[in-house]
Amino acid sequence: MTTTNINIPLEVFNFSGQTWLETWCLQETISKADVGEYSDWLVEEIPLCLQRIKDLADRFPFWQHRKRTGRPPVCERDLLIGFLIRVFFESTFRQTMALMSIFGEYFELEYIPHHTVLSRKNRSKRWQRIWKRFHSFLLNLIPVRKSVIATDATGYSGRKKAWREVPYDVRANQNWIKLHASIETGSFLILNYTLSDSNVHDSKEFENVWKGLPGNVIPVRSLADNAYTSDECLNVVRGSNAIPINKIRKDAKYAHKPNTAYQKLVHFAKHWPNRYNALYGIRNHAETAFSMIDSRFGYRIRCRNKIGRKNEVQSKINSHNIRALACKEFLFGY
């Protein structure tokens, strides 16, 4: 006897006015959901992402200085490919060296760098700047568009427990690499990010994250939790001609004549609660993006050097954006 597993989309249970579910409604929703297309994407994910890595590595300007005498330097194009392969296959530097030998002909590598070279380059300050430039280069390829941006923070370390599983007061005293990121809702692309220590409050990095958005992304709305409800954070969003829809605090008081940015936010949330909840509801796309990184590329980092740990987190971010763009192109054709 065999069993058949059917994955029911969550959209089935998003009721709008109806309090019960009919069989025909369930069958209609399942038939409209293209489960087969996403299954095909999971089959083609690795080849398409590897092809995207190759194309981006060929187009990205490294501006590498090559000496005329002495030992020739390692090609930074080959290093970029190696670091991205390491993240996609969740491998060590030794295993990455073997994977680069396997894919060497496909990527047209000059030669396979030793695993000690990969480790040393990964903890260099130059690669901190290269990862930032590569992130900007990748996002500049997307078309100009208006976006709703969700802001949140997460952390990475070598511990067995993930960021969400550790109490707040405990992880603030541990050596986590804290990621502050702005995510485009819908596409789950990380538009900008900063890295800090685990004891840095989310609101301290909000301005750096928000003002570093790509030029081809026009923000129309900001979504964030109640860690970003200070007037400084809200005014940063208003200064970019966007509307802040952040979560208000539980002790928020309604003001009939609001003066500050936070009072205006509370006035809107209390006066039009349905509209506020509908707009704020997709803020969880930020947590979804973090979950996608953790589940696909791992929530742990292997490096012990502080710069190397930050570079490893940056490689996860860029790998996630590459995968998100490849998935969108496969499913929607753009």
Side-chain angles (χ1 to χ4, degrees):
M1 182 176 179
T2 60
T3 60
T4 302
N5 296 324
I6 299 177
N7 296 323
I8 302 177
L10 293 177
E11 288 77 9
V12 175
F13 303 99
N14 292 336
F15 302 115
S16 57
Q18 86 180 54
T19 57
W20 50 280
L21 184 67
E22 293 181 342
T23 305
W24 66 267
C25 180
L26 178 64
Q27 183 179 2
E28 182 182 12
T29 306
I30 293 177
S31 62
K32 289 182 179 180
D34 250 334
V35 181
E37 286 191 9
Y38 185 73
S39 178
D40 294 339
W41 154 249
L42 294 179
V43 175
E44 300 293 338
E45 175 187 352
I46 294 297
L48 291 177
C49 288
L50 292 180
Q51 181 62 43
R52 181 62 68 92
I53 290 174
K54 182 181 179 182
D55 296 340
L56 292 171
D58 291 337
R59 298 171 59 182
F60 178 66
F62 288 96
W63 303 320
Q64 183 179 9
H65 176 69
R66 291 178 176 266
K67 297 180 181 179
R68 295 185 179 180
T69 59
R71 179 180 297 179
V74 180
C75 181
E76 289 181 343
R77 173 188 177 274
D78 299 347
L79 291 174
L80 175 67
I81 293 173
F83 292 147
L84 293 174
I85 288 177
R86 175 174 179 260
V87 175
F88 268 95
F89 290 94
E90 298 185 60
S91 59
T92 63
F93 286 118
R94 288 180 174 85
Q95 294 169 340
T96 302
M97 183 179 174
L99 290 171
M100 294 181 70
S101 301
I102 296 173
F103 296 116
E105 184 177 354
Y106 174 77
F107 286 110
E108 301 176 358
L109 303 178
E110 291 185 2
Y111 64 94
I112 309 303
H114 197 262
H115 64 85
T116 58
V117 176
L118 291 172
S119 177
R120 187 175 70 253
K121 294 295 184 180
N122 179 68
R123 59 178 184 265
S124 65
K125 292 184 178 180
R126 173 170 173 80
W127 272 94
Q128 282 187 298
R129 298 187 293 270
I130 291 179
W131 280 125
K132 269 291 188 180
R133 287 200 300 109
F134 183 77
H135 179 264
S136 301
F137 170 79
L138 177 62
L139 293 179
N140 286 333
L141 300 177
I142 64 177
V144 178
R145 57 195 180 190
K146 297 181 179 179
S147 302
V148 178
I149 299 173
T151 306
D152 205 351
T154 186
Y156 296 93
S157 72
R159 291 176 170 80
K160 294 182 179 180
K161 291 186 177 181
W163 175 263
R164 297 291 180 184
E165 299 174 355
V166 181
Y168 178 81
D169 55 341
V170 175
R171 66 195 183 200
N173 297 320
Q174 296 176 342
N175 58 341
W176 293 76
I177 299 298
K178 192 170 184 179
L179 168 64
H180 309 262
S182 57
I183 295 96
E184 183 183 35
T185 59
S187 66
F188 305 106
L189 286 172
I190 297 181
L191 300 178
N192 192 32
Y193 64 91
T194 61
L195 302 176
S196 68
D197 295 332
S198 55
N199 58 356
V200 177
H201 195 267
D202 299 356
S203 60
K204 299 297 183 181
E205 294 292 329
F206 182 81
E207 183 175 2
N208 296 330
V209 170
W210 187 264
K211 288 192 174 181
L213 296 174
N216 53 351
V217 174
I218 304 173
V220 296
R221 195 177 303 119
S222 169
L223 307 177
D225 57 25
N226 53 13
Y228 304 93
T229 53
S230 64
D231 284 339
E232 290 79 7
C233 296
L234 299 179
N235 289 329
V236 168
V237 178
R238 290 183 174 273
S240 301
N241 296 323
I243 302 174
I245 308 293
N246 296 2
K247 185 177 182 180
I248 61 176
R249 295 189 290 266
K250 293 182 179 179
D251 58 348
K253 296 182 180 180
Y254 180 83
H256 293 280
K257 295 181 179 181
N259 295 321
T260 64
Y262 180 67
Q263 289 178 351
K264 293 178 181 179
L265 177 63
V266 174
H267 185 275
F268 173 72
K270 297 289 186 180
H271 200 68
W272 292 282
N274 293 336
R275 177 63 175 166
Y276 169 79
N277 292 328
L279 294 175
Y280 181 76
I282 58 175
R283 189 211 63 85
N284 57 10
H285 284 203
E287 297 177 356
T288 303
F290 294 151
S291 178
M292 292 168 65
I293 297 176
D294 295 346
S295 60
R296 179 61 182 84
F297 307 115
Y299 61 87
R300 301 176 66 183
I301 51 180
R302 300 175 184 269
C303 296
R304 298 182 180 180
N305 179 272
K306 187 173 183 179
I307 297 178
R309 288 155 62 87
K310 290 185 177 181
N311 286 339
E312 187 172 353
V313 174
Q314 290 193 89
S315 63
K316 290 178 182 289
I317 296 170
N318 285 281
S319 298
H320 165 74
N321 281 351
I322 291 174
R323 181 175 181 265
L325 290 174
C327 178
K328 189 172 183 180
E329 183 178 358
F330 179 82
L331 295 178
F332 305 105
Y334 60 91

